[in-house]
Amino acid sequence: YYHPSSTKGSVLANNIYDALVDLTDLAPKETQYGAHLYVIRETVSPAVIVETAFISNESDRNYLLSTNGQNKIAEAIFKGIKKTIEE
């Protein structure tokens, strides 16, 4: 999620999304506006909320509980942030 008026937030969200798709076994939803979310709406910095998976989905839950899954998600978020900074 990102704020619709934040160009940098949109870029950050899309870079993290792309890295999640490339590096993980997850099928995340597309990026979405998060203007209704307080932490997105009230910040002055580019901000995103990353929803990686759902614990109610057995496959997602197992991936989230695995060391490999956690490492891949962390790596994807890192790469998305790094790409945004480098742009």
Side-chain angles (χ1 to χ4, degrees):
Y1 295 96
Y2 65 95
H3 198 281
S5 68
S6 175
T7 302
K8 290 181 181 179
S10 172
V11 170
L12 176 59
N14 284 300
N15 285 340
I16 292 172
Y17 174 85
D18 291 343
L20 283 167
V21 170
D22 289 344
L23 296 173
T24 71
D25 296 333
L26 301 170
K29 299 186 293 185
E30 295 290 330
T31 59
Q32 299 179 29
Y33 293 153
H36 63 289
L37 301 166
Y38 184 86
V39 294
I40 298 291
R41 184 181 69 237
E42 297 300 322
T43 187
V44 294
S45 301
V48 300
I49 294 176
V50 181
E51 189 175 72
T52 58
F54 297 95
I55 60 173
S56 58
N57 176 302
E58 185 177 358
S59 176
D60 283 2
R61 182 175 55 252
N62 290 337
Y63 192 78
L64 289 170
L65 290 171
S66 73
T67 300
N68 181 59
Q70 292 170 16
N71 288 336
K72 289 294 186 181
I73 290 168
E75 180 182 1
I77 293 170
F78 166 76
K79 286 189 174 199
I81 294 169
K82 183 174 185 265
K83 182 176 180 185
T84 303
I85 291 169
E86 291 172 346
E87 293 177 341

